[in-house]
Amino acid sequence: DALPIFHEAWEWFKLLLAQCSHHQYSLASQVQFFYDGLTFTTQNMVDFIAGGYIRDKALEELVAVYK
């Protein structure tokens, strides 16, 4: 099951961003950076869980999917 690995990657990504807080990326940028770094298969999984293509979703919906 790829879901636990996905959540581990999201937690790792948040820790990485915390170490680079001086960059001050917006939450929207963070969510997009993370999604863009996923494999095609994992992007499809995220889109499925989100109920459609993530770029068509509100930021709050995406953060809920990632958590």
Side-chain angles (χ1 to χ4, degrees):
D1 187 13
L3 204 51
I5 294 169
F6 171 84
H7 288 294
E8 288 175 22
W10 176 243
E11 292 303 317
W12 178 83
F13 183 72
K14 290 191 311 184
L15 289 173
L16 180 64
L17 288 172
Q19 293 175 3
C20 303
S21 60
H22 59 281
H23 291 294
Q24 300 179 342
Y25 293 117
S26 69
L27 183 57
S29 292
Q30 294 173 29
V31 168
Q32 192 60 53
F33 292 155
F34 183 74
Y35 181 84
D36 290 345
L38 298 174
T39 64
F40 178 74
T41 303
T42 307
Q43 286 178 352
N44 284 334
M45 179 188 71
V46 171
D47 291 340
F48 177 78
I49 291 170
Y53 187 49
I54 70 151
R55 294 179 205 260
D56 297 335
K57 303 293 177 185
L59 180 59
E60 296 79 20
E61 291 178 274
L62 299 178
V63 172
V65 168
Y66 284 10
K67 289 182 179 181

